[in-house]
Amino acid sequence: MKGLYCDGSSIRLRDDLPMPTPGPGEIRLSVRIVGICDTDLQLAKGYMGFRGVIGHEFVGQTDAGQRVTAEINNACHVCPTCRDGRPGHCPHRTVLGILGHDGAMAEHVVVPTVNLHEIPDELDDREAVFIEPLAAAFRITEQLVLDPGVKIAILGDGKLGMLCAWVARTTGAQVSVIGKHPSKLALAGEAINTYRLDEVSTLAKTFDVVVDCTGSHSGFPTALGLVRPCGTVVLKTTVAGTYTVNLAGIVIDEVRVIGSRCGPFPKAISALVNRQVSVRPLIAAEFPLDEAESAFRAASEKGARKILIHVNPASA
């Protein structure tokens, strides 16, 4: 089988991967299309020490021809954490293409059937591949109350930053996006305020909520400078390596810090079907699987938008 393999510090296309075999409660899917996200880029730098096929944003197809995608946390569903309704934090879980489970940047992937979500006919593959990251953006709305009285800043004008901004906009909150790239900030839309990073000195301690979507070591300290006393910082991206942060400001200003990861697939699917969020402007380029290494290099370029890989175009 052909797929993009991570050896813990780099990635390469291989054609000698074993065909995955479904275990109890699992299904093997033919992969139609997969997206490269910033977590994949971090994995290639050593994040999590992952070895295996990467990729978790995907559209697959069953043997019966049904298009599906899958949640990425593979929980045991029997431990106390799972029974308490937190399967995404199951201590025994594997995570698709991230932790102990091969991902979807290959011709086939195996996932638990309980994690499957059917893709409506209204969505084409290029839209449906965004379900997982859009669900992650919706997770913020489960963790915080956002309404027209809330001033929220999205720090980072990348793919996840824009998804978080568009989701926050659906709540009526006062949304601002702060980034480095005028061309990317322009994607935010008229209902969202935009600022270049070098303009934020006047915005210090003015936001109720700041969401760090930078994937950078400088993101968290910058977010702490933007959030008001008794406000909330949401950490939305992962970074390979360790932070060095002065925690005094968090204590003095009584700032809440929330980690935010995976979110509700049904909300993401509904938002795409109802055209509350349009993801097509985020697509930069598309590659066949045979050019996956080139696709990964394109995704690694500074300021890159979403790169898609068509894996089984005959079935798409």
Side-chain angles (χ1 to χ4, degrees):
M1 182 182 72
K2 190 178 298 183
L4 197 60
Y5 186 86
C6 177
D7 65 7
S9 61
S10 63
I11 55 96
R12 63 187 176 95
L13 184 64
R14 292 176 49 178
D15 60 8
D16 61 347
L17 297 172
M19 178 70 73
T21 301
E26 294 183 328
I27 185 172
R28 184 169 61 209
L29 304 172
S30 174
V31 179
R32 295 164 64 100
I33 192 171
V34 62
I36 302 175
C37 87
D38 290 342
T39 299
D40 299 319
L41 302 180
Q42 295 294 333
L43 289 168
K45 297 176 183 178
Y47 174 63
M48 300 288 290
F50 178 71
R51 291 177 177 270
V53 176
I54 60 174
H56 55 275
E57 303 175 359
F58 79 102
V59 175
Q61 183 170 304
T62 67
D63 289 344
Q66 174 64 52
R67 290 188 308 145
V68 295
T69 189
E71 300 189 32
I72 69 174
N73 294 291
N74 310 314
C76 74
H77 298 289
V78 296
C79 71
T81 300
C82 287
R83 292 200 304 268
D84 285 344
R86 298 188 301 275
H89 295 280
C90 170
H92 312 295
R93 74 186 183 277
T94 61
V95 184
L96 185 67
I98 298 174
L99 175 67
H101 192 110
D102 279 337
M105 287 189 191
E107 293 172 310
H108 298 275
V109 65
V110 164
V111 299
T113 56
V114 70
N115 284 2
L116 292 180
H117 291 267
E118 293 188 5
I119 295 173
D121 292 340
E122 294 93 329
L123 301 181
D124 64 27
D125 285 358
R126 292 172 178 85
E127 295 170 312
V129 77
F130 283 89
I131 290 172
E132 192 279 333
L134 185 58
F138 269 105
R139 175 61 175 157
I140 299 170
T141 67
E142 295 182 324
Q143 296 172 296
L144 300 171
V145 175
L146 300 181
D147 57 38
V150 173
K151 293 178 62 178
I152 180 171
I154 309 300
L155 185 58
D157 53 16
K159 302 171 285 294
L160 182 58
M162 283 300 164
L163 293 177
C164 288
W166 294 337
V167 165
R169 182 183 58 192
T170 68
T171 71
Q174 303 171 50
V175 185
S176 299
V177 176
I178 299 168
K180 296 180 179 180
H181 310 93
S183 62
K184 295 167 72 174
L185 289 170
L187 297 176
E190 295 181 358
I192 294 176
N193 300 314
T194 59
Y195 301 93
R196 293 196 314 274
L197 188 59
D198 57 11
E199 299 174 325
V200 300
S201 59
T202 60
L203 303 175
K205 299 185 183 299
T206 59
F207 293 99
D208 302 308
V209 179
V210 181
V211 183
D212 177 17
C213 295
T214 62
S216 166
H217 287 88
S218 64
F220 186 31
T222 302
L224 291 175
L226 292 168
V227 70
R228 64 163 173 80
C230 299
T232 301
V233 171
V234 180
L235 301 181
K236 199 63 201 173
T237 51
T238 51
V239 179
T242 57
Y243 282 101
T244 300
V245 178
N246 186 344
L247 301 180
I250 297 174
V251 177
I252 294 168
D253 285 344
E254 298 185 320
V255 172
R256 286 198 304 163
V257 179
I258 298 177
S260 185
R261 196 165 53 96
C262 304
F265 275 45
K267 283 188 178 181
I269 293 170
S270 177
L272 290 170
V273 169
N274 295 324
R275 306 304 171 187
Q276 290 179 286
V277 176
S278 175
V279 294
R280 284 186 175 274
L282 295 180
I283 300 172
E286 304 173 45
F287 292 79
L289 182 59
D290 284 341
E291 298 177 19
E293 292 181 13
S294 296
F296 208 86
R297 286 192 292 271
S300 301
E301 294 179 1
K302 285 189 176 182
R305 287 180 286 164
K306 180 65 73 178
I307 302 296
L308 304 180
I309 298 175
H310 292 270
V311 180
N312 286 301
S315 65

